[in-house]
């Protein structure tokens, strides 16, 4: 990926990212760190095709995202990409099981209920499948989100501050589970965080500062 990103604010162009270059391969675990407001979430949106750069190119699975329309980018993500967000992004009107089933049903995957049940068992929520998000703790909600992200066996997972809303004990459990599932499935992981200890668990660490991305020495 080679990309720049700017926004227009009161007739003035404000650069957000400058000539960012990043390649991610199968099985990689990559952390992107930086202070709040440094552009980490913007970069993640560009990498996932949720937004498009003002200059440069982003390719996902050898497909230039700018060559696809919004529906095409959504289909590519549905087939190959998983997401874990800071605020869980669960559907409040669906049970834990139904939340995990949802991406499988959208993809037309057979045996969606059985696969979702097995994944919830894997993340330790076998007794909580019928509970709605409001009845689950923050750590449990994030484990449901992990189950939903991994149930379709994505080739690439984007995680945006996955422990940002959790207490330290719950956060540690979620992160251990995230890396376990990542190893089991051989998923490429791109993790955005301000937590240096969490970032250090990734194979590569990049720091985003003043719109530029540089590899951190290990």
């Amino acid at each position: 990926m080679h990309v720049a990103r700017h926004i227009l604010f009161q007739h003035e162009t404000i650069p957000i990212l400058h000539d960012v270059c990043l390649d991610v391969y199968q099985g990689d675990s990559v952390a992107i760190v930086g202070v709040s407001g440094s552009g980490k979430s913007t970069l993640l949106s560009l990498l996932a095709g949720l937004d498009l750069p003002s200059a440069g190119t982003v390719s996902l699975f050898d497909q230039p995202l700018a060559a696809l329309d919004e529906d095409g980018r959504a289909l590519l993500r549905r087939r190959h990409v998983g997401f874990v967000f800071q605020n869980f992004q669960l559907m409040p009107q669906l049970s834990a099981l139904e939340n995990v089933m949802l991406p499988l049903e959208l993809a037309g995957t057979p045996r969606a209920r059985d696969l979702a049940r097995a994944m919830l068992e894997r993340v330790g929520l076998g007794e909580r499948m019928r509970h709605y998000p409001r009845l689950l703790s923050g750590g449990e909600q994030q484990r449901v989100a992990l189950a939903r992200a991994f149930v379709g066996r994505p080739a690439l997972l984007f995680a945006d501050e996955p422990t940002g809303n959790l207490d330290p004990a719950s956060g540690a459990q979620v992160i251990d589970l995230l890396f376990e599932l990542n190893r089991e499935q051989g998923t490429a992981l791109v993790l955005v965080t301000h937590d240096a200890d969490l970032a250090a668990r990734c194979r590569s660490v990049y720091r985003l500062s003043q719109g530029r991305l540089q590899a951190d020495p290990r």
Side-chain angles (χ1 to χ4, degrees):
M1 181 210 47
H2 178 88
V3 62
R5 176 68 176 167
H6 303 76
I7 62 173
L8 186 63
F9 181 70
Q10 291 183 346
H11 308 293
E12 180 184 1
T13 299
I14 307 295
I16 303 299
L17 302 170
H18 306 267
D19 296 324
V20 171
C21 295
L22 179 66
D23 293 313
V24 181
Y25 299 97
Q26 183 177 356
D28 274 354
S29 57
V30 176
I32 300 171
V33 301
V35 299
S36 179
S38 61
K40 302 187 302 297
S41 293
T42 297
L43 177 57
L44 201 68
S45 292
L46 293 169
L47 292 174
L50 298 171
D51 200 358
L52 293 176
S54 52
T57 59
V58 180
S59 292
L60 202 57
F61 305 103
D62 296 324
Q63 294 199 51
L65 295 182
L68 301 174
D69 60 16
E70 187 173 342
D71 288 342
R73 294 193 299 274
L75 180 60
L76 186 65
R77 286 191 296 269
R78 187 188 308 163
R79 289 174 173 170
H80 301 294
V81 179
F83 291 93
V84 178
F85 300 98
Q86 178 176 342
N87 58 353
F88 319 135
Q89 296 285 1
L90 300 178
M91 301 292 288
Q93 72 275 24
L94 301 181
S95 68
L97 179 61
E98 290 165 339
N99 266 284
V100 179
M101 288 173 58
L102 184 59
L104 299 175
E105 291 179 327
L106 290 173
T109 304
R111 300 177 52 247
R113 182 173 294 271
D114 292 341
L115 294 172
R117 283 181 178 276
M119 184 55 71
L120 282 169
E121 293 278 2
R122 173 64 184 84
V123 301
L125 293 176
E127 302 300 318
R128 307 287 270 169
M129 294 187 190
R130 296 184 180 180
H131 287 71
Y132 291 91
R134 68 180 182 276
L135 302 176
L136 301 174
S137 69
E140 288 171 335
Q141 289 187 63
Q142 195 62 301
R143 281 190 278 160
V144 174
L146 284 178
R148 181 184 60 188
F150 278 101
V151 72
R153 305 190 68 85
L156 174 61
L157 180 76
F158 292 112
D160 190 358
E161 299 284 10
T163 61
N165 282 340
L166 303 179
D167 63 82
S170 296
Q173 292 176 351
V174 164
I175 288 306
D176 286 344
L177 187 57
L178 170 64
F179 281 97
E180 288 172 14
L181 292 170
N182 189 61
R183 285 192 300 271
E184 288 172 11
Q185 296 196 6
T187 306
L189 171 66
V190 178
L191 171 69
V192 165
T193 183
H194 65 274
D195 185 333
D197 292 335
L198 172 55
R201 297 185 60 167
C202 292
R203 187 175 301 171
S204 303
V205 179
Y206 291 85
R207 183 168 299 278
L208 188 59
S209 178
Q210 297 182 337
R212 299 190 183 278
L213 191 68
Q214 294 186 339
D216 257 15
R218 301 299 295 267

